[in-house]
Every structure is written in C-alpha cells, then in structure tokens.
C-alpha cells in the first residue's frame, strides 16, 4: 500500500467533503431555482424558462449526493449507521421532497390546465425548500452533538427525537442553508435567462447574499458560546477503529480550537464573506458567470468552515462523549480504504469531466421565444 492508515483516513475525510461540496455547488442551484420558480415566473412561459434552465442537468447533479452517501457507507460505516438511524425521519422527508422534482418536471406539462401546473410548481418549490432546510439543520445538529451512545459490543443506541433536531441553532443553520441555495439559484438564473426574469433574479441575488452574510456571521458568534468537543487522551491515528478507546471533553468555544492552533484556517470562513460580497458586486455589474463562481466559493467555504471546526470529529455524541465518532476511530479497514481510493481516483475525475462537458454543451440563454419555438420538445 502506498499510504498508511492515517493518511488514508485523512484522504477519505477530504473525499467526503469534496463530494458534499460537489453536491452543494451543482445541485444547489437546482434547489434554489426550484424555490424561486413560483416567485420569479409570472406567466406559464416564464416558469417554463426557469424549469428548462435546469431541466437537462438536474438529474446528473444528484450523482454527487448519491456518491457522498455511498462514500459515507463504505468509508465511515459507523457514521453512516448513526446518521441514518438518528436522522431517519429527516432523511426520509428529504428523499420524499427530492422525489417531487422528477414528478414535477415530467408531469407538469402533461395537461394545459393552469391549476394543474400551479400545483406542480408548488410541489417543485417544496422539492427545493425541504432538502435545503434539512441539510442545514443536519449540520447544525452535528455541531451541537447527536444524542447516541455505543455499548461495549459497538451497538448504537439513539435516544433523540425528530422534534429535538429542530433546536434554535440547527434552525439558524437551516435558514442559512436555504439562503445559500437561493443566492446560488438566483445567480444561475441570471446566467441562463434574460429580460424580466434576469432582473428579478438580480434582485434576489442581492437580498439572499446579504442574508447569507448576516446569518453566517450570527452563526459564527453563536459558535463561540456553543459547547465544542476535544479529545483529551492520546490519539493513535494508525490504530484499528474503536471509538471507545479515547476520552473526550466538552466545553464552550472548543470548536475554535483548530483556528487557534493554525491561524491560517481563519481564511476559510473569511472566504465565505468575500465570496458573498463578490457575488453581489458581480451580479450588480451584470457578470453572472463570475458571480456563479464566487457563489460557489461561498458555498464551499461555509461547508469547509463546518468541517475544519469539527475536525477530527465526524459525529460527536452529546450523551456519551467518549462514544463520539472521529476520523481516527470510526473508519473502515485500511485495505477497504486503500481499494476504494483507487476506484475514486479513476472515477471521480470522470464525473468532473463529464459534468463540465455537459454544462459546456448546454450553456447559453433560455428565452421565452426559445420555449415557444420548441414547445413540444421541452418541459
């Protein structure tokens, strides 16, 4: 094997982050566009313009989400088990909402009745809002800790409730997530549309970007008073996985530990603010292509901020601190991580190349005239 166990664990932590960021950047504007559909489209033709701006690519963008789930299952099986059992109803609601998207895209145009189409527009709105909100709520709960513990046989016991996930900090993170995807979707619509939709999207970029800045700053201030986690016993990065072979303490402000040890990490949250401000400026100066890049930078920096703050914790336990799952003690075996590394090295670039090619081929403006000229070929 080229890499030792410690290096492979770091690599797979980075791979998981890259897949989540890939999903947020590509499928994030799909979610934002779906949420904006009933408000930016004032006529049926305008709504068809909005739908067809993401119509050819939304299915491919979900590959990142599915791959991230597969990577979590294969590389961090205990984290997969805890998250899917503890957040079962939240994840089920996310999947149901995501199912509304293909149904909405395919069935909306089957009947000319406007009520029929309006109802499917509402379904598409829900299909964008619910996943965006729950993803943020999930990250908020990870930072607060999940109520589970392990027994000596590594059996997992979850003692939380669905209502318990909806705490104030997690809801703040959920609203931040919705704002991020609204900003991303609005600047994408600026890039792909013209005329009135373009101007309405431009207005949304300004409002949602400002909201992102305010909510991210508020979340940062909250983190300074939130109880974080820290491993107090010696760490063995090359040891077999056993979460119970460590001692963990919890105290206010510990999520800032990594920034205090490596001050350069402050550049990560700073990049989120810079990206959001740049998105506003580029949108106002009618440069939506660059605005989409800075919006992507904002999403990337916010997700990285959560990851950097929590490292090496994957899922901290607020009921049994020593049961917390970390990068060093909850991974698959070294042989499994090594085999999957080579599979990922081959296939991840193919996904990136294919996705880039699709967006290059399908670039350009979608207009009302284009929809009318291709009435029977488009959604």
């Amino acid at each position: 094997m080229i890499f030792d166990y410690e290096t492979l664990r770091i690599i797979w932590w980075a791979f998981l982050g890259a897949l989540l960021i890939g999903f947020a950047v590509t499928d994030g504007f799909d979610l934002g566009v779906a949420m904006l559909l009933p408000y930016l489209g004032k006529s049926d033709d305008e709504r068809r313009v909005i739908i067809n701006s993401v119509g050819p690519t939304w299915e491919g963008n979900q590959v990142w989400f599915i791959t991230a789930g597969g990577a979590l299952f294969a590389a961090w099986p205990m984290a997969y088990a805890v998250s899917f059992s503890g957040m079962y109803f939240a994840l089920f609601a996310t999947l149901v909402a995501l199912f509304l998207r293909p149904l909405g895209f395919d069935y909306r145009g089957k009947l000319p009745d406007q009520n029929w189409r309006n109802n499917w527009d509402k379904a598409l709105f829900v299909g964008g809002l619910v996943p965006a909100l729950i993803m943020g709520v999930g990250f908020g709960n990870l930072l607060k800790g999940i109520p589970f513990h392990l027994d000596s046989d590594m059996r997992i016991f979850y003692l939380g409730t669905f209502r318990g996930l909806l705490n104030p900090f997690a809801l703040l993170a959920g609203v931040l997530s919705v704002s991020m995807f609204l900003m991303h979707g609005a600047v994408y619509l600026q890039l792909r549309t013209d005329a009135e939709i373009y101007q309405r999207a431009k207005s949304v970029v300004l409002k949602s970007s400002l909201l992102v800045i305010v909510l991210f700053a508020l979340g940062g201030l909250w983190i300074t008073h939130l109880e974080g986690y820290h491993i107090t016993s010696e760490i063995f990065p090359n040891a077999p996985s056993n979460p119970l072979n460590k001692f963990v303490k919890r105290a206010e402000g510990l999520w800032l530990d990594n920034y205090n040890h490596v001050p350069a990490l402050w550049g990560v949250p700073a990049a989120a603010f810079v990206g959001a401000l740049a998105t506003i400026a580029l949108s106002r100066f009618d440069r939506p292509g660059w605005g989409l890049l800075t919006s992507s930078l904002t999403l990337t920096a916010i997700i990285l901020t959560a990851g950097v703050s929590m490292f090496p914790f994957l899922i901290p336990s607020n009921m049994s601190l020593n049961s917390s799952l970390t990068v060093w003690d909850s991974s698959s075996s070294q042989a499994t991580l090594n085999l999957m590394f080579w599979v990922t090295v081959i296939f991840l670039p193919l996904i990136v190349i294919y996705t880039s090619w699709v967006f290059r081929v399908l670039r350009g403006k979608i207009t009302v005239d284009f929809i009318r000229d291709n009435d029977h070929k488009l959604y």
Side-chain angles (χ1 to χ4, degrees):
M1 294 182 187
I2 296 178
F3 302 113
D4 59 19
Y5 207 3
E6 176 183 4
T7 306
L8 282 169
R9 283 166 161 163
I10 293 289
I11 288 173
W12 271 99
W13 177 80
F15 275 159
L16 183 61
L19 291 169
L20 289 174
I21 290 169
F23 170 72
V25 169
T26 57
D27 206 48
F29 59 72
D30 292 344
L31 299 176
V33 166
M35 287 188 279
L36 292 169
L37 172 65
Y39 305 103
L40 299 192
K42 301 301 182 185
S43 67
D44 188 61
D45 282 340
E46 287 187 350
R47 291 186 179 187
R48 291 186 67 192
V49 167
I50 293 172
I51 290 172
N52 281 284
S53 70
V54 297
T57 55
W58 71 271
E59 287 176 295
N61 294 340
Q62 291 194 124
V63 168
W64 293 94
F65 186 58
I66 297 167
T67 308
L72 183 66
F73 171 75
W76 314 100
M78 295 189 73
Y80 177 91
V82 170
S83 58
F84 274 71
S85 59
M87 301 184 185
Y88 179 81
F89 289 107
L91 291 171
F92 182 73
T94 300
L95 288 177
V96 170
L98 289 174
F99 286 155
L100 292 175
R101 286 203 290 176
L103 294 174
F105 286 139
D106 287 334
Y107 284 94
R108 182 185 184 281
K110 297 297 183 186
L111 295 176
D113 181 70
Q114 197 55 49
N115 286 332
W116 169 270
R117 296 190 174 192
N118 289 341
N119 287 331
W120 279 117
D121 292 342
K122 293 173 185 173
L124 287 170
F125 168 79
V126 172
L129 175 65
V130 172
L133 181 66
I134 289 180
M135 286 174 201
V137 168
F139 268 100
N141 277 286
L142 286 179
L143 286 161
K144 281 186 67 68
I146 302 296
F148 76 95
H149 70 86
L150 306 174
D151 69 6
S152 57
D153 294 323
M154 293 296 115
R155 290 183 300 176
I156 300 166
F157 296 88
Y158 178 76
L159 302 175
T161 63
F162 177 72
R163 180 180 292 184
L165 297 175
L166 305 177
N167 55 78
F169 180 77
L171 289 174
L172 171 70
V175 178
L176 171 61
S177 174
V178 170
S179 305
M180 288 161 49
F181 292 137
L182 281 175
M183 173 187 70
H184 205 45
V187 77
Y188 177 79
L189 282 176
Q190 253 194 283
L191 180 67
R192 297 300 309 278
T193 64
D194 64 357
E196 288 82 1
I197 302 175
Y198 179 98
Q199 294 301 329
R200 293 176 201 137
K202 192 175 181 177
S203 175
V204 173
V205 171
L206 173 62
K207 295 172 184 173
S208 55
S209 299
L210 289 174
L211 195 57
V212 167
I213 292 170
V214 171
L215 293 175
F216 188 55
L218 185 58
L221 290 174
W222 201 325
I223 283 285
T224 61
H225 299 289
L226 198 68
E227 288 190 324
Y229 294 71
H230 182 77
I231 301 175
T232 57
S233 56
E234 187 175 356
I235 298 172
F236 301 97
N238 286 300
S241 291
N242 185 345
L244 298 179
N245 283 343
K246 66 178 180 305
F247 293 99
V248 174
K249 72 173 182 180
R250 183 172 59 179
E252 191 175 285
L254 280 181
W255 283 143
L256 300 179
D257 249 14
N258 290 333
Y259 299 96
N260 295 331
H261 288 112
V262 185
L265 290 177
W266 285 109
V268 178
F273 291 111
V274 172
L277 289 171
T279 302
I280 294 173
L282 291 165
S283 170
R284 305 312 290 176
F285 287 109
D286 298 317
R287 293 289 185 272
W290 288 102
L292 189 64
L293 290 177
T294 54
S295 175
S296 301
L297 170 66
T298 307
L299 269 59
T300 300
I302 290 176
I303 294 172
L304 279 178
T305 299
V308 166
S309 302
M310 292 180 61
F311 186 86
F313 289 88
L314 293 173
I315 302 182
S317 167
N318 57 21
M319 298 198 68
S320 170
L321 301 184
N322 297 340
S323 295
S324 298
L325 306 181
T326 74
V327 170
W328 312 125
D329 58 26
S330 58
S331 73
S332 295
S333 68
Q334 184 176 1
T336 301
L337 296 184
N338 185 65
L339 176 63
M340 293 194 306
F341 168 78
W342 292 110
V343 172
T344 305
V345 164
I346 294 171
F347 287 102
L348 186 60
L350 292 179
I351 295 175
V352 174
I353 292 170
Y354 168 76
T355 303
S356 303
W357 177 77
V358 168
F359 280 106
R360 179 174 175 75
V361 170
L362 298 174
R363 69 185 185 281
K365 298 281 188 181
I366 306 291
T367 65
V368 171
D369 290 338
F370 179 76
I371 294 292
R372 289 171 179 165
D373 292 341
N374 298 273
D375 188 47
H376 298 294
K377 298 178 183 176
L378 302 171
Y379 287 120

